[in-house]
């Protein structure tokens, strides 16, 4: 088991290095110059001297290999540099946004798990009944509905319903407050986006749970368990569900990693100052340092999540553990 | 308010009608009562004497009743201290906090409340294009030395937010930084001050501007809303300090900034305009998406945004909020412009450029466009509210404004045929900002199709859009000329050749145009200057058709009716220090 973990951890290093090289090269291939964009953002005037100064300030006057090594070395000791756009430390730019993105991702995951696993299991157990049809319809609806559209509609619905009931329209707060400062306001802000994102997330997981359960329920060991007279609840919870969860855990892991940096449109719909919105700004502004750091953060989250999923696999399936 | 004669009151009513305010309004009902009374009085002229006496008696009675009824209105409109204004900034975040360097409203809306300026557009009369008042100075000076020396006396007792006294040396150092920036420092509006020779502070309370030549463009340029006064000691130590930090002497003190989220200010108890500001503080939330801003105003999460919303958003808010909403509107000192790249054939031919202009029916297009986009008034090179602007009759003499569009398009077709450019195909470069670029671009392509042109549209994000203009990689571009203080003599600089005005992308050289402009900017007699402006306008828009001006933008600011004390101006850069705003809650 320890060897298995060590192997997985060591694989992280070349993955991160490869990602770093890729993002560094790709950012330099994009046409344009951050200094030109930055200095002329509003149509302002600037001269060659100002551009040269901007290049020097951002270390862009150094050879590319030096820039790359500096970036990799900085990443190794968690120094991501200074944002070329705002002039603030990249770590500050990211850390400001992480809490809200992480909170939405966690809440959406909890919502998805709470909905997907029970409903997916029930759907499999009641295959081809009206319950199954209903659950499948809900799941297909979730996959087919874009989260941002659902977000817009849910805000309008909340505004209209609260207006009809109380005479005063209400919507979630649009300014983030940390949960330790004001838990109620924080949850007011996070709940609706988490539900709209969690619905799609739940739909994907629900379908996966259903199909995995159907497969497992047809296995010989389930038939054996039933034949030897085990209680149905025990068969489902201990023998069927645990085995069926393997692919579901993978889906949940990948979706969770995606949610940290991928809620680009949803964050805009709810005015959430999260990682997704920052990502778009960084690319639009051609902010190399910030984009590089964000890509590396996303890669790290994916790698870490996959590592956790792999470890979870080992816990769920002894064959992996003892192989 | 005293009774004026009927004509004066009507004139004032008409003049102020440009600033439409619905919902509750500061003293507006009283003014309207007088206006109605005055109109009635004017309409009674020529009737017989007993009748006039009777009417007069009724009017006097009505006026007295109006005055009595109006008293509680005035009392209710007495400014109240306290409360926090929450407003929205339609941007992700400002690129920096340095007003001298930046040109975006995101910087002004974020940081203007923290700063003072030397002079400014009168906050009580911001729709005026000629009313300038002191902020840090004690009184507006009269120029000496044939209009070439301006001496400003600086207020005593003004303190920076860190408690240090502000002196004339700070003001002079700030203006030195703007007018003659040191190497490596960007001053976005350096070119506004070509007339300034030197700036000095002979003592702690005097600042003197010495000009190279007298010009009417100087005073409006001095009222620039980005020209925040910075501390000399800080500038001396690090001229880039203000890009990332805030330290001013304005009505509010900096209270915190969350990158991409919000910026906060608290009342400055030492503010030099006594009794101001009324608010305890403000919170400005960055909200780039329009639907978020509209929903936030609807649900009272925020009270307003200052830049302006499109007509559809106004309609939606009016429908849902009714009398809880107030709306102020104004012509906007921003207009879309079509710039033609003379370096690309066949646009080096003035006949082709003129044909493009003649195809467009602004008079009939503007009313339709104004229903969906933030545009409204047809105008020439000069902002329509300015005394230097062309009248409708004058405009109708210029290509692109002819009253008979069929005649205009026939002439356009003739010119294209003569130039061998019939059925010309080209690409219109546009910016991916829907309001109003998207609407105007689509409309203009339809107009061009009416003279047989085949035009496609290339829409680019702001950065690449600028890049393509600067590199000359376009045929025709839809861009904008957006200014703060209405200063026509400088604002029209946008159409001067690139050698004179670096942000002109037409790629042409035109010495007669430059000479005409020089004569105009040096002319101090208003009547002669206005005549020169007409010549300049006709030359640029018609004779040479270097560029043409599309319908001017229209600013619509809907907000919660309990927000009082703010008056709209022709620019979203102006009147943003929030000092006079109060909450009627």
């Amino acid at each position: 088991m320890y060897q298995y973990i060590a192997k997985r951890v060591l694989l992280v290093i070349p993955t991160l290095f490869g990602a770093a090289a890729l993002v560094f090269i790709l950012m330099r291939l994009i046409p344009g110059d951050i200094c030109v964009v930055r200095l002329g953002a509003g149509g302002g005037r600037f001269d060659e001297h100002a551009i040269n100064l901007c290049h020097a300030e951002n270390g862009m006057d150094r050879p590319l290999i030096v820039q790359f090594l500096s970036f990799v070395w900085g990443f190794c000791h968690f120094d991501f540099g200074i944002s070329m756009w705002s002039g603030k430390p990249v770590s500050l730019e990211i850390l400001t946004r992480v809490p809200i993105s992480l909170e939405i991702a966690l809440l959406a995951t909890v919502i998805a798990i709470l909905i997907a696993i029970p409903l997916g299991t029930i759907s499999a157990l009641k295959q081809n009944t009206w319950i199954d049809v209903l659950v499948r319809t809900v799941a297909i609806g979730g996959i087919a509905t874009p989260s941002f559209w659902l977000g817009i509609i849910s805000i309008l619905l909340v505004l209209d319903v609260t207006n009809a009931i109380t005479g005063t329209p209400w919507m979630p707060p649009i300014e983030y407050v940390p949960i330790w400062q004001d838990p109620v306001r924080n949850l007011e802000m996070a709940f609706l986006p988490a539900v709209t994102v969690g619905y799609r997330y739940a739909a994907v997981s629900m379908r996966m749970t259903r199909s995995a359960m159907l497969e497992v329920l047809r296995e010989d060991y389930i038939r054996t368990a039933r034949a030897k007279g085990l209680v149905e609840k025990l068969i489902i919870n201990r023998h069927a569900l645990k085995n069926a969860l393997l692919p579901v855990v993978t889906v949940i892991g990948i979706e969770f990693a995606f949610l940290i940096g991928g809620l680009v449109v949803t964050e805009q719909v709810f005015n959430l100052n999260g990682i997704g919105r920052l990502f778009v700004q960084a690319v639009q502004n051609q902010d190399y340092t910030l984009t590089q750091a964000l890509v590396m953060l996303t890669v790290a989250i994916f790698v870490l999540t996959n590592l956790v999923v792999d470890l979870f696999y080992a816990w769920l399936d002894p064959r992996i553990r003892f192989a | 308010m005293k009774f004026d004669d009927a004509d004066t009151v009507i004139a004032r009513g008409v003049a102020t009608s440009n600033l439409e305010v619905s919902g509750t309004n500061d003293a507006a009902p009283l003014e309207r009562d007088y206006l109605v009374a005055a109109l009635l009085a004017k309409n009674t002229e020529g009737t017989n004497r007993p009748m006039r006496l009777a009417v007069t008696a009724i009017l006097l009675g009505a006026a007295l009743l109006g005055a009595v009824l109006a008293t509680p209105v005035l009392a209710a409109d007495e400014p109240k201290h306290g409360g926090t204004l929450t407003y929205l900034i339609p941007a992700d975040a400002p690129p920096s906090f340095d007003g001298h360097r930046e040109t975006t409203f995101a910087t002004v809306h974020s940081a203007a409340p923290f700063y003072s300026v030397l002079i400014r557009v009168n906050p009580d009369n911001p729709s005026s294009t000629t009313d300038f008042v002191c902020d840090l100075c004690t009184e507006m000076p009269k120029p000496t030395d044939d209009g070439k020396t301006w001496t400003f006396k600086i207020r005593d007792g003004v303190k920076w937010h860190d408690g240090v006294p502000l002196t004339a040396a700070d003001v002079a150092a700030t203006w030195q930084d703007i007018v003659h920036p040191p190497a490596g420092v960007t001053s976005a509006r350096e070119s506004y001050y070509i007339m300034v020779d030197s700036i000095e502070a002979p003592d702690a309370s005097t600042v003197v501007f010495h000009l190279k030549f007298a010009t009417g463009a100087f005073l409006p340029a001095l009222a620039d809303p980005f020209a925040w006064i910075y501390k000399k000691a800080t500038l001396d130590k690090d001229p880039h300090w203000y890009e990332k930090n805030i330290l001013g002497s304005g009505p509010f003190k900096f209270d915190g900034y969350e990158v991409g989220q919000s910026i906060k200010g608290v009342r400055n108890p030492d503010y030099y305009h006594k009794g101001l500001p009324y608010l305890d503080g403000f919170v400005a939330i960055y909200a780039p998406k329009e639907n978020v801003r509209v929903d936030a105003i609807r649900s009272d999460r925020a009270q307003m945004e200052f830049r302006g919303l499109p007509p559809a958003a106004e309609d939606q808010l009016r429908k849902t909020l009714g009398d809880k909403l107030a709306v102020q509107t104004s012509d906007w000192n921003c207009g879309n412009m079509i710039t033609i790249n003379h370096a690309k054939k066949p646009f080096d031919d003035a006949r082709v450029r003129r044909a493009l202009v003649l195809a467009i029916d602004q008079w009939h297009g503007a009313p339709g466009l104004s229903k969906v986009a933030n545009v409204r008034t047809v105008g020439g090179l000069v902002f329509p509210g300015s005394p230097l602007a062309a009248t409708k009759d004058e405009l109708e003499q210029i290509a692109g404004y002819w009253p008979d569009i069929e005649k205009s398009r026939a002439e356009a077709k003739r010119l294209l045929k003569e130039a061998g450019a019939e059925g010309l195909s080209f690409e219109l470069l546009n910016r991916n900002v829907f309001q109003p670029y998207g609407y105007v671009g689509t409309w203009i392509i339809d107009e061009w199709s009416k003279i047989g042109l085949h035009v496609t549209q290339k829409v680019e994000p702001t950065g690449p859009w600028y890049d393509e203009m600067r590199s000359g990689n376009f045929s025709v571009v839809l861009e904008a000329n957006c200014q703060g203080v209405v200063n026509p003599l400088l604002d029209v600089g946008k159409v001067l050749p690139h050698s004179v005005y670096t942000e002109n992308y037409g790629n042409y050289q035109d010495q007669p145009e430059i000479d005409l402009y020089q004569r105009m900017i040096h002319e101090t007699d208003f009547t002669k200057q206005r005549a020169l402006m007409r010549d300049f306008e006709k030359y640029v828009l018609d004779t040479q058709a270097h560029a043409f001006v599309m319908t001017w933008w229209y600013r619509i600011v809907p907000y919660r009716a309990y927000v009082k004390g703010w008056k709209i101006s022709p620019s979203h850069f102006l009147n943003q220090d929030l000092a006079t705003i109060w909450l009627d809650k």
Side-chain angles (χ1 to χ4, degrees), chain B residues 18-272:
Chain B
N18 194 33
L19 190 147
E20 296 166 17
V21 183
S22 61
T24 49
N25 179 21
D26 306 342
L30 187 62
E31 181 120 11
R32 273 199 295 271
D33 286 348
Y34 285 126
L35 182 61
V36 170
L39 278 166
L40 283 171
K42 188 173 172 63
N43 287 340
T44 57
E45 284 169 15
T47 53
N48 61 44
R49 195 164 181 272
M51 187 65 174
R52 275 215 303 274
L53 281 173
V55 170
T56 307
I58 291 166
L59 283 172
L60 277 174
L64 277 172
L65 187 65
V68 171
L69 289 175
T71 308
V73 174
L74 283 175
D77 279 353
E78 197 65 38
K80 293 171 186 163
H81 283 270
T84 300
L85 177 78
T86 304
Y87 64 96
L88 303 150
I89 301 177
D92 283 315
S96 89
F97 290 128
D98 186 354
H100 302 179
R101 170 182 177 142
E102 304 302 341
T103 55
T104 169
F105 72 92
T107 296
V108 173
H109 289 197
S110 300
F114 304 119
Y115 288 102
S116 309
V117 288
L118 179 58
I119 67 164
R120 55 185 173 171
V121 170
N122 187 349
D124 295 324
N125 185 24
S127 58
S128 165
T129 59
T130 51
D131 188 359
F132 302 104
V133 295
C134 274
D135 183 19
L136 276 179
C137 57
T138 53
E139 63 175 326
M140 292 299 287
K142 293 269 187 294
T144 54
D145 185 23
D146 290 332
K148 288 201 288 185
T149 301
W150 293 74
T151 304
F152 292 86
K153 287 286 173 192
I154 305 300
R155 286 170 182 270
D156 284 332
V158 179
K159 286 181 186 167
W160 293 102
H161 292 162
D162 61 3
V164 175
L166 182 150
T167 68
D170 295 311
V171 180
T174 296
W175 276 102
Q176 195 65 32
D177 191 58
I178 295 169
V179 178
H180 305 300
V185 172
T186 304
S187 172
R189 285 158 291 276
E190 186 183 348
S191 64
Y192 286 11
Y193 306 100
I194 45 168
M195 73 292 276
V196 179
D197 187 19
S198 63
I199 304 150
E200 59 173 338
D203 59 60
S205 60
T206 311
V207 174
V208 186
F209 287 79
H210 298 285
L211 307 190
K212 293 172 196 158
F213 57 91
T215 172
F218 173 65
L219 209 57
L222 206 63
D224 183 74
F226 287 89
W228 300 332
I229 303 302
Y230 292 163
K231 204 175 181 181
K232 182 179 185 297
T234 310
L235 282 177
D236 288 346
K237 206 182 289 176
D238 177 6
H240 295 284
W241 189 85
Y242 282 94
E243 289 169 18
K244 293 167 199 164
N245 303 282
I246 289 172
L247 175 65
S249 51
F252 292 91
K253 289 183 172 184
F254 178 65
D255 191 36
Y257 173 60
E258 289 283 334
V259 188
Q261 176 78 78
S262 62
I263 187 163
K264 293 173 185 170
V266 291
R267 186 173 190 274
N268 174 12
D270 299 324
Y271 190 46
Y272 45 89

Side-chain angles (χ1 to χ4, degrees), chain A residues 205-249:
Chain A
S205 310
M206 207 189 302
R207 284 178 66 81
M208 186 56 79
T209 308
R210 181 182 176 275
S211 59
M213 274 297 281
L214 283 174
E215 207 172 302
V216 170
L217 286 172
R218 291 189 189 106
E219 293 285 342
D220 291 344
Y221 62 86
I222 298 292
R223 195 181 308 117
T224 308
R226 281 191 178 128
K228 73 177 182 182
L230 273 183
V231 182
E232 186 67 11
K233 197 176 163 187
L234 202 67
I235 295 169
I236 301 299
N237 288 344
R238 187 174 294 175
H239 297 286
L241 192 57
K242 196 173 172 189
N243 285 298
L245 277 181
L246 279 172
V248 178
V249 166

